[in-house]
Amino acid sequence: KRLFELKGKNAIVTGGTRGIGYQIALDLANKGANVFVWSRNKEVNEKAVKSLPIIHNDQKHTGIVCDLSKTNKLDETINEIKKQVSSFNNGDNKIGILVHSAGITHSELLFKKSSNDNNNYNNNYNSINDNSNEIMTTNLLSPILITQSFLKDMMRLKYGRIIFIGSVVSEMGNRGQTIYSSSKGGLNGFSKSLSKEIGQFNCTSNVISPGFIDTDMSQQYINNELINSIPLKRIGNTKDISKTALFLIESDYITGQNIRVDGGLY
Ligand code: NDP
């Protein structure tokens, strides 16, 4: 019975084609949910959707190609998802599970010395780079807008499980990641306040804050010194995060939490 636990439930996983999001999409599919996989690259998206398991006859997975760094296409995409999910054969016919895993990272010092003159700070500021907008929109603003768009449906359903993949750097800080950690810190605040607004409708909102997880994104940071600084002495894997996501989705009485899954790093 546990195998079909999420039969009839509809989930969106942004960033569901690779890394952490893909593992969560796989695990949701293996529990019987219909999964909408949201990402930018069309070919990778099609491949990921095709690879998700179908464990019962009414199950259907759908690819959504839309760039989260641009908010002008969000409404159209969200309406398309709502249309598709309402046409499914059975089940909730609304999105009940929303996992925000898509994200981008960027490392650059906010303040960089551009000359050797230590006393001349006037021209030394590395102006907030052009990536800031893209990072804040992809990691924070779009997840907020998407969540808002599906709230009414979740409240009517009296079922909502919202999960944001944040980052331990939102609390721990990291040199070179001022903008990235602000975007993730924003998710912490949004989720906490949201949990207080939607609880009465049986909707929960939680953040998972990973440490270093073995995916495309983290390769640039992984080295022996880092591994040694982690109490559990290993880089995390995507399953470490998806286990926590599935636990939160199956939990009925956990909301407003930020769960660090970081091997003890922080
Ligand atoms: P990956 O880089 O492996 O995967 C990122 C996913 O997001 C891909 O599916 C990608 O697909 C999608 N994506 C990226 N940008 C956009 C966009 N603008 N619009 C739509 N989809 C997008 O990342 P991880 O799995 O490692 O990370 C997942 C989340 O976990 C991120 O939010 C990250 O910040 C967070 N995290 C990761 C850590 C780690 O060590 N890996 C540590 C802490 C937090 P496509 O490129 O085709 O769009």
Side-chain angles (χ1 to χ4, degrees), residues 14-22 37-42 44-45 66-70 100-105 134 138-139 165-169 180 184 187 208-219 221-222 235 238 241:
T14 71
T17 56
R18 292 189 281 122
I20 292 169
Y22 181 62
V37 175
W38 184 322
S39 68
R40 284 171 303 189
N41 186 298
K42 195 165 188 284
V44 179
N45 187 291
C66 173
D67 187 344
L68 290 167
S69 72
K70 302 184 180 76
H100 300 278
S101 185
I104 49 170
T105 187
E134 188 188 354
T138 307
N139 293 3
I165 306 298
S167 168
V168 77
V169 304
Y180 176 73
K184 296 300 189 179
L187 292 176
I208 299 173
S209 288
F212 288 92
I213 307 300
D214 189 7
T215 68
D216 296 341
M217 181 186 277
S218 59
Q219 295 313 310
Y221 304 106
I222 296 176
I235 298 296
T238 55
I241 305 301

